[in-house]
Every structure is written in structure tokens, then in C-alpha cells.
Amino acid sequence: MSPRLLVIGSSNVDLFATVPRHPFPGETLLGTGGARAAGGKGANQALAAALQGANVQFVGAVGDDADAELALAGMRAAGVDLDRVVTVSGAPTGLAIITVSQDGENTIVVIPGANAQVSAEQAVGAVERMGSDDILLMQGELPPKSTEAAVRAAGAAGLRVVLNVAPWLALEHDVLTAADPLVLNEHEAQLAVAEFGLAPEDGGPMAMARALRMAGAPSVVITLGAEGAVVASAEPASQVSGSRAPVSGSRVTRLPSPRVTAVDSTGAGDAFTGALAARLLEGDDLQDAAAHAVRVGAYAVQRRGAQPSYPRAGQELPGTFA
Ligand code: ADP
């Protein structure tokens, strides 16, 4: 059987409101449109990876309500294995309330609902059924204890872990540094750097990526919106002359994003991370996987919504670099 991607994460219904601008506190604003769609960082990334051709199992929880089927619909249609999704009675399916303004910027409020019931036992049980060629992909929308237990179980079983700590969660340091890669946007990277008490010289993304790697993460990816991403990994052994010692140097690369017209950035980071994990599963090295993921992210921002904006494998991606 080909290697599998195990995504343990959140699944939500996204409730979108398109607005001319974001409302101020206390203000009522007329929106220009609205929609409901499947979302949640776990579900989004599972779908993005499946559309890129990965064999994906999604593990999570939904409520016993009408939103449950919508939350899972996109993944179901893409052939994601949902056998280990539990239905929690008495809890609502997760809900995200998203406003998207004319310039493509969004604000998001997430109500976890059933996602908060994904237990350490459920997560570890799923990890323990995987093989050592499989990859575990997690995000920051489940209870921290469940995330920590699953990442540690993956480490014990020899699985590679891709950890996208979004939104930022101050997980235990051994869990953050088990990630290979740790995937963060610029804001989350700043919080991670502060969590480790690091003060990278110039504070820029390349310095932050290098500092987080030196803190112990084998590799780090920082996404930079329209600016693409930065990747820090170990210096290839062939480039370290005359040394047989473990390599501690970092190779830090900047991957520019293709220049596109962004209409909605919702779920772009999830498109990026899902595509990244799919390519790592295929055996790409991190630089190549991230170069592809940047183009998938750029594809996604050109279309409205999160899941409906994700490309399939082989679909033409933007590629004219800025
Ligand atoms: P998040 O949505 O998690 O904050 P980013 O905003 O960094 O993540 O976006 C993730 C990826 O999506 C980027 O690395 C890039 O590939 C793509 N992306 C996001 N915004 C744009 C944009 N305006 N133009 C081109 N690509 C973009």
C-alpha cells in the first residue's frame, strides 16, 4: 500500500459574509453576499493534499447536527478516508464565521464545538495504526493535549510529523521541535520565536526560520503571503566539506510567490500546507515540496472560499514569478 497522510484536525462549517470593509465594534454593516461551505484547517489541508493525489485519512469529530455532513462533504467527494471521524452527541459541529472584504483580507472567529472533543486516545489510536512511511499532519485547532499526545506517538512510531501551529498554540517544546517541518505564517513565527525566548538578529523571516531550527526543529517553513515562503533545513551533507560530524548548519531559502490577483486569502495557508505534505509523501525534498506549495497557495487566493479554491494535481498553476 502506498504511504498515507494521516490528518488529525478540525472540520467546520465556514459561514462567509462578503463585506465592503470590515465592521468596527458595535457597528452593523450590510454585506454584499453570503455562503456556507466546508472548512476547518484539518479538513482543508486533508482535502488540499487529497486533490494533489495523496492517499489521506482524516481523523476528527463532528456534532450530531445538520452541519456535520456539510463539514465532511468536500473530503468525502475527494475520496478522503473518513472512517475514524467520530460523531459527538450534544456538541455542535465546529463553526467559523468569516468576513471577507473587497481587498481580499479576512477576519475569522472559530467556534470549536465537536473539535474540542477530539481526545488524546482517539488521536494516538489513529497514529498507532499507521506505518513508518506514513506522515502525520496536524494544526493548532484541536485540544493541545491531544495534539501533543499524537505528535509524541508519531515520534515513537517513526512517522514524520508536519505541524502547522495555526492558530498559534504554546505546545510543549519537545512537540514543537519534533516537527519536520514546523509550518508557520509570519505572525505565528513571531510567537514561536518569543515562546523559545529567541531574539533573531534582524527579526526577519529568514532569521526567524534559522533561529527556530537552531532551537531544535529539524526544518522550518514560514509562509509570507504574497511574498511566498522561507524554508530552513539542514545543510546538505555534500556541502559540508571534510566533516563527518552531525550537520548543524542551516540552509535557508526564500521561495517567491507567483504574482497573482488575490481575491480571497481564506484557506491559502491550508492549501499550501496540504500540498506541501502531499509532495513530501511522494518523496520530494522540502525545498521542492515548498516550491510547489507556494504555487498551490497562489492558485487558491485567486478564487473565493477555502476548499472550493484548491487545485487538483496536474491543473495549471500560476508560475510567473514576481
Ligand atoms: P496564512 O493564510 O496561513 O496566513 P499566508 O498568508 O502566508 O498564510 O499564505 C500562504 C501561501 O499562500 C503563501 O505562501 C503563498 O504561496 C500564497 N499566498 C497568500 N497570499 C498570496 C498573494 N496575495 N499572492 C500570491 N500568493 C499568495
Side-chain angles (χ1 to χ4, degrees), residues 62-65 88 90-94 111-115:
V62 291
D64 57 352
D65 55 17
V88 181
T93 296
I111 298 137
N115 294 303

Side-chain angles (χ1 to χ4, degrees), residues 95-192:
L95 181 67
I97 298 169
I98 303 171
T99 59
V100 185
S101 62
Q102 254 160 11
D103 59 6
E105 284 294 322
N106 60 38
T107 68
I108 306 179
V109 177
V110 179
I111 298 137
N115 294 303
Q117 306 297 320
V118 175
S119 66
E121 292 69 30
Q122 184 190 358
V124 170
V127 171
E128 286 175 344
R129 280 185 298 274
M130 306 305 279
S132 58
D133 288 343
D134 298 334
I135 292 179
L136 171 66
L137 170 60
M138 293 191 77
Q139 308 76 29
E141 289 189 332
L142 293 186
K145 293 277 172 258
S146 304
T147 306
E148 288 167 352
V151 170
R152 288 182 180 131
L159 269 75
R160 183 175 192 166
V161 177
V162 178
L163 183 59
N164 174 218
V165 197
W168 172 253
L169 272 183
L171 297 168
E172 296 287 346
H173 289 193
D174 68 296
V175 170
L176 293 171
T177 57
D180 184 16
L182 184 61
V183 183
L184 306 164
N185 68 14
E186 205 166 1
H187 174 65
E188 292 146 6
Q190 283 162 356
L191 295 171

Side-chain angles (χ1 to χ4, degrees), residues 52 54 274-285 288-290 292-293 317:
Q52 292 296 303
L276 179 85
R279 281 300 178 102
L280 292 175
L281 200 67
E282 278 181 31
D284 272 18
D285 75 13
D288 291 346
H292 176 71
L317 299 174

